[in-house]
Amino acid sequence: MGRTLAVVGGGVIGSMIAWRAARKGWDTTVHEHDIADSASWVAGGMLGCMGEARPGEDTALDLARESARRWPVVLTALADPAISVATDTLLIAADTADAHELATRSDYLLGHGLAMKPLSGKDIRSVSPGLGSSVRRGYLAMGEGAVDNRALLQALRTAATDAGVAVRAHHVTDISELDADQVVVAAGVGTGRLWPPAAVRAEKGEIIRLRRPPTAPPPPDNVIRARWRGRLVYLVPRHDGVVVGATQYEVGIETDPDPRAGGVADLLADAIEVMPGLAEYRVSEVGGGMRPVTPDALPLIGRIDDRTVLAAGHGRNGIMLAPITAELVTDHLDGTVDPRWSATLDPRRFT
Ligand SMILES: Cc1cc2nc3c(=O)[nH]c(=O)nc-3n(C[C@H](O)[C@H](O)[C@H](O)COP(=O)(O)OP(=O)(O)OC[C@H]3O[C@@H](n4cnc5c(N)ncnc54)[C@H](O)[C@@H]3O)c2cc1C
């Protein structure tokens, strides 16, 4: 088999795949339409394993754990101190119902051998002094950090280019016209336009970037994931501020990526109650993006024919899942498929 590879999509999934494939000897070209349109550019950057776990989604948890184990190697190889922005996560609750939901998640995780440390409201404020007085209780997820997604994309692009990857800025309309022995489609919510059977739909999310002026309190050291009177809001630190996210709208209701005023208002109100000092921060960006989601909340990773491998549908956790995805895709390219995942993640499982 020849060793030329075309990767469609330069988001976190396509970039991580291209970088790994080039290091494994593939002569790789990334075909990228516009990175500013990607979910990877908009995202918060949490590496959520425990924080994203949902009772019943056991396979998603297993896959996230596999990827979490690979992140330290990726960060060491990229060797860019701007990428990592937090190493632990605080999960906090405002009222009894929120605390009950967190306790259910903690029990579920314990059943899978993952322990989070329970904390009272007072304990939480001693770990993260800027948090408001409404914080009732919570948990510390040690070792569950976050990356600056834009620094990550930049570092991946540099590392891939250094490894020999070429990048072509254009919109692919037909993968059969790509001049390569093998093709990887990693086009996020655009995947279905290139392979219509792909069960990938868009789920909208709004997010706000806040910049800290010199007089305001510092951003938190940890990721803060708050369950706030039935709503969800998270704060992801940046070196110069904080990212506040994110709303989540059912597929089909919203197809316009521009942020909704109501969604942004809820996020800001909740974020300032969680951490009152944020009221002094400056709004540097309000954005909206489309998460590529699938019916079973698991990505589509695998072959669709002898020449084409698909990697899409990573939903709310695509940054987290990038390292394991790149490994599974390059295994498919090299014909050494891990049987543990091949049927579960088969892109044709819904067709
Ligand atoms: C508000 C929000 C917050 C999020 N927060 C987190 C988080 O904290 N942690 C986490 O792990 N995940 C998070 N996610 C999810 C994560 O961003 C996605 O799962 C992930 O970015 C998907 O990566 P991708 O490369 O598959 O798709 P994308 O990032 O969307 O990239 C696909 C790329 O393909 C290109 N493309 C598409 N079609 C074509 C074509 N025909 N030709 C050429 N190029 C094409 C697009 O221009 C795009 O750049 C968040 C998502 C949103 C919306």
Side-chain angles (χ1 to χ4, degrees):
M1 191 193 285
R3 298 286 283 184
T4 57
L5 173 67
V7 177
V8 185
V12 69
I13 299 296
S15 298
M16 193 77 83
I17 292 167
W19 179 42
R20 185 176 168 88
R23 284 179 297 153
K24 289 176 74 73
W26 288 89
D27 179 0
T28 306
T29 302
V30 172
H31 300 260
E32 166 56 40
H33 169 58
D34 181 3
I35 195 64
D37 271 353
S38 69
S40 305
W41 185 255
V42 172
M46 296 175 294
L47 303 182
C49 178
M50 294 179 263
E52 285 297 336
R54 303 278 184 282
E57 294 185 359
D58 294 6
T59 312
L61 178 61
D62 289 346
L63 191 65
R65 285 175 87 170
E66 286 289 333
S67 209
R69 285 197 5 240
R70 288 157 173 79
W71 262 106
V73 178
V74 169
L75 291 174
T76 304
L78 290 174
D80 180 346
I83 299 174
S84 183
V85 289
T87 52
D88 300 320
T89 295
L90 274 172
L91 293 94
I92 60 173
D95 63 22
T96 312
D98 298 328
H100 182 261
E101 197 280 340
L102 282 188
T104 305
R105 181 182 307 200
S106 169
D107 290 347
Y108 168 70
L109 288 167
L110 259 186
H112 288 261
L114 288 167
M116 300 194 292
K117 184 177 175 192
L119 299 172
S120 67
K122 197 170 149 219
D123 293 338
I124 290 165
R125 279 185 293 278
S126 70
V127 174
S128 197
L131 296 184
S133 55
S134 310
V135 177
R136 204 178 167 93
R137 58 167 301 177
Y139 295 86
L140 179 63
M142 300 276 291
E144 182 148 313
V147 293
D148 178 330
N149 51 311
R150 294 177 182 179
L152 172 70
L153 286 170
Q154 180 60 55
L156 281 173
R157 177 65 57 94
T158 303
T161 310
D162 289 350
V165 173
V167 181
R168 273 195 66 198
H170 74 128
H171 188 81
V172 176
T173 50
D174 182 350
I175 52 176
S176 69
E177 290 173 1
L178 292 168
D179 180 18
D181 301 313
Q182 291 282 300
V183 173
V184 172
V185 180
V189 293
T191 298
R193 283 193 288 276
L194 295 168
W195 188 61
V200 178
R201 291 170 298 166
E203 183 191 78
K204 181 170 173 171
E206 283 130 358
I207 200 157
I208 305 163
R209 286 175 154 77
L210 300 180
R211 180 175 49 79
R212 177 198 177 207
T215 49
D221 289 335
N222 306 308
V223 174
I224 310 290
R225 282 180 178 264
R227 178 131 200 127
W228 215 246
R229 304 194 181 90
R231 291 202 294 244
L232 301 172
V233 63
Y234 56 73
L235 312 178
V236 192
R238 288 293 185 268
H239 298 296
D240 63 348
V242 81
V243 178
V244 178
T247 52
Q248 200 164 317
Y249 301 113
E250 290 298 320
V251 174
I253 294 175
E254 274 287 355
T255 50
D256 173 357
D258 285 346
R260 276 179 57 248
V264 172
D266 288 346
L267 282 177
L268 271 182
D270 293 345
I272 289 171
E273 204 183 342
V274 168
M275 192 178 161
L278 293 183
E280 296 308 318
Y281 281 44
R282 309 296 191 250
V283 179
S284 57
E285 187 180 320
V286 177
M290 295 295 184
R291 301 176 183 92
V293 298
T294 65
D296 61 3
L298 289 169
L300 313 176
I301 304 173
R303 281 206 171 275
I304 53 172
D305 59 42
D306 289 347
R307 182 175 175 257
T308 317
V309 176
L310 207 87
H314 293 73
R316 57 181 189 253
N317 223 11
I319 295 186
M320 169 62 171
L321 294 174
I324 182 70
T325 302
E327 192 171 311
L328 293 174
V329 167
T330 48
D331 285 354
H332 277 286
L333 291 171
D334 289 335
T336 55
V337 182
D338 182 345
R340 181 171 168 211
W341 298 110
S342 51
T344 318
L345 304 180
D346 189 336
R348 296 163 296 191
R349 65 188 181 276
F350 301 108
T351 58

